[in-house]
Amino acid sequence: MAYRIRSSSHPRGPRAAICGVLAAAASALLAAGALAPAPAVAATTSTGSGSAPADFSASVQAKGKARVAAAVLDLDGTGRTPTVYGDDTAYDTASIIKVDILATVLLQGQDSGHALTAKERAQAEAMIEHSDNTAANALWRRIGLAPGLQAANKRLGLTSTQGGPDVRWGLTRTTASDQIRLLRAVFDTGTAPKAGSAPALSDTSRGYIRTLMGRIAPEQSWGVSAAAGSEWALKNGWLQRNTTGLWDVNSVGRITTGGHHYLVAVLSDGNTSMKDGVALVERAARAAVSSTTAH
């Protein structure tokens, strides 16, 4: 299936308007009870293929209690292990989990021999392109909640992602390196995760996810795209925790810069505002990609 990748020259709306839209979405999550405290998940450590700043959070000027981690994989390089910047510990996914939800829906459909219905396609498109939470709620139930997600993730190569409790998909916990594993399942055309094995997702399924990630609504076209030179496809996530009032802000996707294609995942939490979180994620994306290209 052919797919489009959004050009980084696409106009980005005023930052105030973006933050207003995102804050409204977060308020909806709060009302739905999606922002309750997340369960603790054991931290994981990833060994990157390149060197990273000793204190990445400080190097990108994280403010107050904010922390940030990034992972980058050069798809045109020889290595298949991402370089990780910062501590590769668990963060709330917020809406970046929607890529994983869609991958699970498609994988389950492959297993049963049934393509998505017209209704499911409409839900998938709303969930990825506009980060629609109602659509995500429906598809989260469709896959069987966290157990369904985790069964699919074993086949997709993820090792450090724990599905959120009950209907609270936004409280799924993940690491930057695990998000690269998910992005590899969608975008990587190199060696399969296990030698001699075929990718879990079919070419059609992979192409569909790529298409939707390349059609993100303009007001949500921030994040890892800040590090792109020409093309990008992404999904962002954001939520305000009701226990602290602080923000989780994340961005994952594929970018093209300097003639190379990169998978990039940036996770952050503890941000005092949505605006601060977006700025931190974009600084981290630029710094991580720049450092990776230098090695």
Side-chain angles (χ1 to χ4, degrees), residues 105-129:
V105 170
L106 294 170
L107 191 56
Q108 290 178 349
Q110 291 174 200
D111 291 344
S112 64
H114 294 96
L116 297 185
T117 65
K119 181 177 181 180
E120 288 169 342
R121 290 182 71 87
Q123 290 170 333
E125 290 163 15
M127 178 177 71
I128 300 298
E129 295 177 22

Side-chain angles (χ1 to χ4, degrees), residues 57-83:
S57 182
S59 73
V60 295
Q61 302 175 356
K63 300 177 181 178
K65 296 181 179 180
R67 63 181 188 132
V68 63
V72 181
L73 176 64
D74 183 353
L75 288 176
D76 301 309
T78 57
R80 311 316 291 169
T81 301
T83 301

Side-chain angles (χ1 to χ4, degrees), residues 12 26 46 63 81 125 142 160 167 193 233 236 248 257 280:
R12 300 164 89 180
S46 174
K63 300 177 181 178
T81 301
E125 290 163 15
R142 157 80 167 71
S160 305
V167 297
N236 297 322
D248 299 330
T257 186
L280 175 61

Side-chain angles (χ1 to χ4, degrees), residues 135-219:
N137 290 340
L139 293 177
W140 179 246
R141 292 185 175 90
R142 157 80 167 71
I143 66 172
L145 309 179
L149 182 85
Q150 289 169 195
N153 280 347
K154 288 181 180 179
R155 298 166 61 187
L156 294 170
L158 280 69
T159 61
S160 305
T161 297
Q162 179 176 312
D166 302 319
V167 297
R168 291 174 290 181
W169 42 262
L171 295 184
T172 297
R173 301 278 282 176
T174 194
T175 63
S177 59
D178 230 24
Q179 286 303 297
I180 295 295
R181 294 183 183 102
L182 176 60
L183 292 171
R184 282 192 63 187
V186 175
F187 290 99
D188 192 2
T189 57
T191 305
K194 294 182 179 180
S197 66
L201 291 169
S202 68
D203 288 343
T204 298
S205 294
R206 287 152 54 92
Y208 183 58
I209 300 172
R210 294 172 182 175
T211 296
L212 301 191
M213 292 179 70
R215 298 198 313 222
I216 296 300
E219 68 273 12

